[in-house]
């Protein structure tokens, strides 16, 4: 009985988010702050659930992990959100107006269909961006810090190199005409699903839910220590895309982390893509020093 109730925690939370945005007064949903308050609230709720029903004691949040996660959530809501809006969404909106692109049909869809469309648009882009990151050296160097995580927790989806966080925030949503509450609802649903997909909680959902949405079970496999095991389950929130494009992998992992599982500091996460450059600079520096020493001798 308890097990059955536990399995509905995730579907119920997604349904509650849908109902909230469908029914909330326009005065709330019209404010740009509503999405920030709503996603931060759901993230905090999922984080709190880690103390209600833990998945692995080895993933229990420490102060160091918690403060790092909070730093990255703050970075995502400020610098990354600003960069994404200024460098991607606003130019795309200008392009849309310049070319006279309209998708007014989308404005007349039922609310749930509008949300599903926005979820699909965002996730389709994220799926291919994530897959590219696992298949191209520079893109991988931006994504690797996320795979150096040695434990998973609710806010860990936000932890990574800032270039990666920017790249993964890109979407073509701005090219579509959709009501703001539907867009915000989609972003909130995605936040709930991807937060649960990183959370140290044991609310394993029913099979129909895990067929469509990414869960910690399948995402932890993507975070495992081996190379082959990580080359599956790229869908951030829609595991359905992995099933469609043939990259789905069954299984889960408790031991997570690449690079011999050495935890990276925030500084190392920021500098990670520049490592080849730094190594080359240090090599020339060493050579100069050696040459200088030899000349002096
Ligand atoms: Zn990955
Ligand atoms: Zn992840």
């Amino acid at each position: 009985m308890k097990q059955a109730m536990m399995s509905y925690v995730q579907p119920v939370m997604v349904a509650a988010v849908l109902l909230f945005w469908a029914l909330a007064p326009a005065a709330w949903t019209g404010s740009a702050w509503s999405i920030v308050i709503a996603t931060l609230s759901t993230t905090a709720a999922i984080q709190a659930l880690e103390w209600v029903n833990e998945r692995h004691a080895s993933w229990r949040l420490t102060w160091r992990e918690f403060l790092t996660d909070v730093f990255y959530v703050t970075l995502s809501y400020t610098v990354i959100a600003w960069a994404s809006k200024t460098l991607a969404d606003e130019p795309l909106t200008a392009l849309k107006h310049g070319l006279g692109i309209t998708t007014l049909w989308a404005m007349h869809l039922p609310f749930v269909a509008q949300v599903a469309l926005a979820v699909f648009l965002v996730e389709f882009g994220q799926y291919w961006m994530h897959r590219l990151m696992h298949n191209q050296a520079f893109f991988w160097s931006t994504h690797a810090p996320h795979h150096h995580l040695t434990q998973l927790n609710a806010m860990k989806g936000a932890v990574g190199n800032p270039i990666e966080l920017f790249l993964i925030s890109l979407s073509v949503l701005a090219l579509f005409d959709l009501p703001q509450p539907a867009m915000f609802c989609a972003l909130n649903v995605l936040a709930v699903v991807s937060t649960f997909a990183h959370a140290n909680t044991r609310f394993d959902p029913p099979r129909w839910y895990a067929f469509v949405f990414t869960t910690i079970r399948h995402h932890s496999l993507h975070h495992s220590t081996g190379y082959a095991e990580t080359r599956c389950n790229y869908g951030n929130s829609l595991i359905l895309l992995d099933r469609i494009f043939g990259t789905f992998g069954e299984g889960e992992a408790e031991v997570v982390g690449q690079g011999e599982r050495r935890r990276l500091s925030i500084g190392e996460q920021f500098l990670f893509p520049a490592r080849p450059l730094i190594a080359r600079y240090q090599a020339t520096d060493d050579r100069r020093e050696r040459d200088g020493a030899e000349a002096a001798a």
Side-chain angles (χ1 to χ4, degrees):
M1 177 68 183
K2 195 178 166 212
Q3 200 65 37
M5 267 172 65
M6 295 281 203
S7 74
Y8 277 93
V9 167
Q10 290 184 65
V12 164
M13 200 146 159
V14 170
V17 165
L18 263 173
L19 280 174
F20 169 78
W21 290 101
L23 305 174
W28 292 9
T29 56
S31 159
W33 283 101
S34 60
I35 182 65
V36 178
I37 296 166
T39 49
L40 281 179
S41 307
T42 47
T43 303
I46 298 167
Q47 179 64 76
L49 287 175
E50 289 196 2
W51 285 280
V52 176
N53 192 15
E54 179 177 75
R55 192 170 194 86
H56 301 299
S58 61
W59 292 0
R60 199 169 295 160
L61 206 55
T62 60
W63 276 107
R64 185 169 69 157
E65 291 292 335
F66 176 72
L67 293 174
T68 306
D69 296 357
V70 167
F71 168 79
Y72 276 104
V73 168
T74 311
L75 186 78
S76 294
Y77 279 84
T78 53
V79 180
I80 306 295
W82 173 84
S84 184
K85 183 168 167 261
T86 315
L87 303 175
D89 293 344
E90 286 176 359
L92 267 187
T93 308
L95 182 76
K96 176 178 180 289
H97 291 314
L99 295 175
I101 301 170
T102 53
T103 63
L104 288 175
W105 52 267
M107 293 294 278
H108 303 293
L109 292 172
F111 183 76
V112 175
Q114 289 172 333
V115 174
L117 173 67
V119 163
F120 178 78
L121 288 173
V122 172
E123 274 301 293
F124 187 78
Q126 289 206 349
Y127 171 85
W128 287 105
M129 178 62 81
H130 189 186
R131 210 168 145 171
L132 171 69
M133 285 172 171
H134 279 264
N135 285 289
Q136 200 278 336
F138 173 73
F139 282 87
W140 169 250
S141 74
T142 72
H143 183 50
H146 183 67
H147 277 273
H148 274 71
L149 295 172
T150 51
Q151 65 179 81
L152 297 176
N153 301 100
M155 292 183 281
K156 288 284 194 288
V159 180
N161 178 268
I163 300 171
E164 180 224 9
L165 301 178
F166 170 71
L167 290 173
I168 218 86
S169 77
L170 300 176
S171 88
V172 293
L173 204 54
L175 288 176
F176 285 75
D177 298 289
L178 280 166
Q180 183 164 295
M183 284 210 218
F184 281 178
C185 181
L187 297 177
N188 202 171
V189 167
L190 291 169
V192 167
V193 175
S194 62
T195 303
F196 265 119
H198 282 96
N200 182 20
T201 58
R202 195 173 285 283
F203 296 105
D204 294 327
R207 278 179 43 194
W208 59 267
Y209 179 96
F211 188 81
V212 179
F213 297 110
T214 306
T215 60
I216 182 67
R217 178 175 164 76
H218 297 133
H219 195 65
S220 64
L221 182 67
H222 180 75
H223 272 273
S224 55
T225 52
Y227 173 78
E229 293 90 331
T230 58
R231 298 187 64 77
C232 66
N233 302 348
Y234 299 111
N236 207 29
S237 299
L238 282 186
I239 200 83
L240 185 64
L241 293 175
D242 286 283
R243 297 183 194 276
I244 293 171
F245 296 117
T247 48
F248 174 71
E250 182 54 55
E252 72 172 299
E254 177 181 350
V255 181
V256 295
Q258 296 278 306
E260 280 142 19
R261 305 194 67 234
R262 191 177 68 79
R263 186 187 187 278
L264 300 182
S265 66
I266 292 175
E268 288 172 316
Q269 287 163 336
F270 270 57
L271 290 174
F272 202 90
R275 289 210 317 189
L277 278 176
I278 296 168
R280 203 185 308 166
Y281 179 78
Q282 278 171 345
T284 12
D285 226 34
D286 288 352
R287 206 175 49 236
R288 272 203 209 108
E289 229 165 74
R290 228 177 21 243
D291 292 350
E294 274 165 19

